[in-house]
């Protein structure tokens, strides 16, 4: 009996050590070959991050990229788990991941192309209404000019509307990125010789076309909303101010949710809007901290430089963390609405 107990204890200790060893091995995977800590567990995401640092992206833009890459990392690791379990046989999830990665590259000017989309993710002061503000789209510019001169909006309402216009512009840019990847896929598809390979690429192409159609529906509905607000002004019972929250609320209202379910979602969206506003506040603080750091560095006071660097690094970390949480919450809310049979109505 005593011998059996000793054997059991030995096995337990060995198991615990194996678990510890396995954990240490996983943690070591988050270090590079020079034993330096890296940001992401996936090599290609680290390469993008390191390139962005070399490009000296603006602080807020860098923070946004970090959040996007963390979401991409989460999704890719989940997909690898699914693939290991024999799921995603048709490659639909893999194709979507690749598409999202291409969007990230193009969004931050790392797709090897000259950026003609002018995607401005570092727009901290987009609430400051400027006479010369344009959206690189004739329809949006015309509508915005009409809104500014209509006299229907208070300064605060005009700031909210401007954020909605910028959000629509970003969605339009994303659509153009996806359109570009579809065009490239079609060119590759034309050169396919193997019938089996052709079937696979046909499926990927179909998924991309479906994505394009959905994005176009979203754009049309979004533009119609902007047109309606411009003509009629904001109603007294407007629920939300943040564009992403408004978009989710409009999506939910077009669904088959019951009144009780809508009320529950509305409350959740209010919490999400608070999270978005808090994230924007940290982004503003990060930009101010960066400006102050540059000023202090120019003066050359080492003690002040060290102190301001520490504050800036802490703010950068907080902004990244909040950005990831906010984008994950956005992703979860979008999935929650669509996966419960609440897809957009077909046009």
């Amino acid at each position: 009996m005593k011998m059996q107990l000793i054997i059991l204890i030995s096995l337990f200790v060995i198991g615990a050590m194996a678990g510890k060893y396995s954990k240490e091995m996983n943690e070591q995977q988050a270090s590079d070959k020079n034993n330096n800590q890296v940001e992401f567990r996936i090599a290609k995401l680290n390469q993008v991050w390191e390139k962005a640092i070399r490009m000296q992206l603006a602080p807020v833009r860098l923070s946004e990229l970090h959040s996007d890459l963390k979401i991409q990392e989460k999704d890719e690791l989940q997909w690898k788990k699914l693939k290991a379990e024999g799921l995603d046989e048709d490659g639909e999830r893999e194709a979507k991941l690749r598409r999202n990665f291409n969007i990230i590259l193009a969004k931050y000017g790392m797709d090897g192309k000259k950026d003609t989309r002018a995607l401005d993710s570092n727009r901290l002061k987009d609430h400051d209404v400027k006479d010369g503000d344009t959206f690189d789209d004739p329809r949006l510019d015309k509508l915005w000019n009409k809104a500014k001169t209509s006299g229907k909006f208070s300064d605060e309402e005009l700031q909210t509307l401007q954020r909605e216009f910028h959000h629509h512009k970003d969605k339009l840019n994303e659509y153009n990125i996806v359109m570009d990847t579809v065009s490239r896929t079609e060119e590759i598809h034309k050169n396919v010789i193997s019938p089996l390979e052709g079937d696979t690429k046909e499926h990927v192409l179909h998924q991309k076309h479906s994505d394009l159609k959905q994005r176009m529906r979203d754009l049309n509905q979004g533009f119609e909303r902007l047109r309606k607000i411009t003509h009629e002004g904001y109603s007294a019972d407007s629920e939300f101010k943040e564009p992403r929250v408004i978009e989710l609320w409009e999506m939910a209202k077009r669904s088959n949710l019951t009144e009780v379910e809508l009320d529950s979602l509305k409350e959740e969206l209010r919490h999400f809007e608070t999270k978005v506003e808090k994230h924007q506040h940290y982004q503003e603080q990060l930009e101010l901290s960066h400006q102050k750091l540059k000023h202090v560095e120019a003066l050359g006071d080492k003690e002040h430089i060290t102190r301001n660097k520490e504050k800036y690094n802490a703010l950068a970390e907080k902004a990244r963390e909040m950005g990831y949480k906010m984008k994950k919450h956005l992703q979860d809310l979008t999935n929650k609405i669509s996966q419960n049979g609440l897809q957009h109505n077909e046009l």
Side-chain angles (χ1 to χ4, degrees), residues 185 188-192 195-207:
T185 306
I188 294 166
H189 186 66
K190 287 176 187 175
N191 300 321
V192 169
L196 188 62
E197 189 182 358
D199 290 341
T200 304
K201 290 187 177 179
E202 188 70 50
H203 175 75
V204 171
L205 203 56
H206 174 74
Q207 290 299 327

Side-chain angles (χ1 to χ4, degrees), residues 285-300:
Q285 293 302 308
L286 177 63
E287 180 60 25
L288 289 171
S289 178
H290 182 248
Q291 294 298 330
K292 189 175 180 181
L293 178 59
K294 285 201 296 185
H295 175 70
V296 170
E297 284 175 337
L299 296 175

Side-chain angles (χ1 to χ4, degrees), residues 128-235:
D128 296 338
V129 180
K130 299 173 186 174
D131 292 336
D133 203 3
T134 61
F135 300 93
D136 303 316
D137 180 86
R139 290 200 310 168
L140 284 179
D141 289 340
K142 186 178 178 181
L143 208 57
W144 173 243
N145 287 327
K146 187 171 184 178
K148 282 196 300 182
T149 56
S150 67
K152 293 176 183 172
F153 303 96
S154 65
D155 287 345
E156 186 180 351
E157 286 175 333
L158 210 53
Q159 290 165 12
T160 300
L161 183 60
Q162 190 187 42
R163 285 199 297 271
E164 288 206 53
F165 269 77
H166 275 300
H167 180 65
H168 187 85
K169 172 189 169 183
D170 290 348
K171 300 284 281 187
L172 187 60
N173 287 334
E174 282 192 9
Y175 175 83
N176 290 333
I177 292 165
V178 176
M179 172 75 87
D180 188 45
T181 63
V182 169
S183 299
R184 290 204 304 270
T185 306
E186 285 176 336
E187 282 300 313
I188 294 166
H189 186 66
K190 287 176 187 175
N191 300 321
V192 169
I193 298 171
S194 165
L196 188 62
E197 189 182 358
D199 290 341
T200 304
K201 290 187 177 179
E202 188 70 50
H203 175 75
V204 171
L205 203 56
H206 174 74
Q207 290 299 327
K208 288 192 175 186
H209 277 295
S210 296
D211 186 26
L212 269 179
K213 285 178 184 177
Q214 186 59 63
R215 287 175 187 272
M216 180 52 75
R217 277 195 287 268
D218 290 343
L219 281 171
N220 287 336
Q221 287 162 349
F223 184 80
E224 182 56 30
R225 171 184 161 74
L226 290 176
R227 192 194 63 76
K228 185 179 179 183
I229 293 171
T230 301
H231 284 281
E232 300 175 8
Y234 281 108
S235 61

Side-chain angles (χ1 to χ4, degrees), residues 16 21-22 37 61-62 64 68-69 96 111 115 124 143 147 150 163 175 228 275 278 294 327 334:
Y21 177 75
S22 177
Q37 286 299 113
R61 197 157 167 78
L62 197 63
E64 286 287 296
D68 285 339
L69 291 175
K96 187 177 180 182
D111 56 350
D115 192 8
L124 282 179
L143 208 57
S150 67
R163 285 199 297 271
Y175 175 83
K228 185 179 179 183
K275 193 177 286 186
K278 198 172 178 183
K294 285 201 296 185
K327 288 184 180 184
T334 305

Side-chain angles (χ1 to χ4, degrees), residues 254-313:
R254 290 194 298 270
S255 71
N256 58 356
L257 278 172
T258 65
E259 287 298 320
V260 174
E261 288 170 328
L262 275 174
D263 285 342
S264 175
L265 181 65
K266 189 189 294 183
E267 192 59 35
E268 191 174 354
L269 287 174
R270 285 197 182 107
H271 288 301
F272 176 61
E273 187 167 55
T274 301
K275 193 177 286 186
V276 173
E277 288 168 349
K278 198 172 178 183
H279 176 236
Q280 287 176 342
H281 170 74
Y282 271 97
Q283 285 186 319
E284 288 170 6
Q285 293 302 308
L286 177 63
E287 180 60 25
L288 289 171
S289 178
H290 182 248
Q291 294 298 330
K292 189 175 180 181
L293 178 59
K294 285 201 296 185
H295 175 70
V296 170
E297 284 175 337
L299 296 175
D301 186 327
K302 288 184 179 181
E303 187 181 337
H304 275 78
I305 290 171
T306 302
R307 194 159 57 242
N308 278 276
K309 263 187 182 176
E310 286 173 357
K311 186 180 177 183
Y312 170 75
N313 289 334

Side-chain angles (χ1 to χ4, degrees), residues 55-100:
M55 288 168 63
Q56 296 184 323
L57 287 185
V60 174
R61 197 157 167 78
L62 197 63
S63 175
E64 286 287 296
L65 171 63
H66 192 277
S67 303
D68 285 339
L69 291 175
K70 287 296 284 183
I71 292 289
Q72 183 73 15
E73 179 184 55
K74 173 185 71 71
D75 291 343
E76 293 214 13
L77 292 173
Q78 283 177 351
W79 170 75
K80 284 180 179 179
K81 207 172 183 180
L82 287 173
K83 192 179 179 186
E85 293 169 1
L87 301 172
D88 195 34
E89 288 183 6
D90 59 1
E92 184 178 337
R93 282 174 178 264
E94 185 180 10
K96 187 177 180 182
L97 283 170
R98 195 180 299 115
R99 190 158 62 244
N100 289 344

